[in-house]
Amino acid sequence: MNKIFLIATAIVTTLTLVKAQDTQKQPAAGQPAPDFSLTTGDGSQVSLKDYKGKWVVLYFYPKDFTSGCTLEAQNFQRDLAKYQNAKAVILGVSVDNAQSHKDFCAKEGLNFKLLADTDAKVSGEYGSTMDYKGAKMAARNTFLIDPQGKIVKVYTGVKPADHSEQVLKDLADLQKGA
C-alpha cells in the first residue's frame, strides 16, 4: 500500500513539474527578444543589444559539466566556424555562476560566451526554467534571434546530440529567405 502511495505521489509530482514547464510563457517567433545583461566567465557584462546587427543563437541549458550540456556545448564549439561564417554568435545561459562557466569553458575548450543567470531571471523571461530536485535550473531551450533583435525560431525540449546541426540548417534557410 505504501509503495502504491509513493508511486502515485511521484507521478503527480512529475506531472505538476511538467505542467509548470508547459505553462511558462515563452516569447514566440516574431516577437522582440527580451534584452538582458549577464556576466560571462571572464567577469565582463554582456547584453543582447550588444549583438544588434548579428544573428544570435541564445541557448539555455541546465548545468555545466553534465553529460547532455557538455555534448551540446561541444557540438556548438565544433560548428563555431560555420556560425561565424553565417555572421552568428552563440550565447549559452545557465544558472551556474561565472566561475563555473570559466572552468567549464577551459575544460571543454569553448570559445563562445556562457552567461551566468544565477537568479534565473533571464531564463524566466524566456520561459526556460525548470525545477530539479528543489533547485531552479534553466530548461534546454534555444532562441534564434535575427539581426534586428526579433526571435525567428524557438526550439523547446532540445536534444543535445543533433541540435547544432538543426540550428545551422534553419539559420541557412532563414538567411536565404532574408
Side-chain angles (χ1 to χ4, degrees), residues 2 14 49 68 87 106 119 126 130 135 141 145 154 158 169:
N2 282 343
T14 301
K49 66 182 172 214
K87 299 190 180 359
D119 62 3
Y126 279 84
M130 65 178 183
N141 298 324
I145 303 167
V154 178
V158 167
K169 178 188 172 307

Side-chain angles (χ1 to χ4, degrees), residues 41-114:
D42 68 10
S44 63
Q45 287 288 305
V46 167
S47 296
L48 183 59
K49 66 182 172 214
D50 299 340
Y51 298 98
K52 196 107 172 149
K54 290 189 177 243
W55 290 85
V56 177
V57 177
L58 181 65
Y59 85 98
F60 292 85
Y61 67 99
K63 188 128 184 75
D64 292 341
F65 301 104
T66 58
S67 60
C69 298
T70 299
L71 177 62
E72 186 174 23
Q74 287 171 339
N75 289 347
F76 277 127
Q77 179 61 42
R78 175 198 67 208
D79 296 335
L80 188 57
K82 294 176 185 174
Y83 285 102
Q84 290 168 337
N85 289 339
K87 299 190 180 359
V89 296
I90 299 167
L91 300 174
V93 179
S94 81
V95 299
D96 293 310
N97 63 35
Q99 184 63 49
S100 177
H101 288 334
K102 182 178 181 179
D103 296 344
F104 187 49
C105 286
K107 180 176 187 290
E108 299 302 329
L110 304 178
N111 297 313
F112 55 88
K113 295 185 184 306
L114 298 181

Side-chain angles (χ1 to χ4, degrees), residues 10 29 64 102 118 121 129 157:
D64 292 341
K102 182 178 181 179
T118 54
K121 184 176 180 240
T129 58

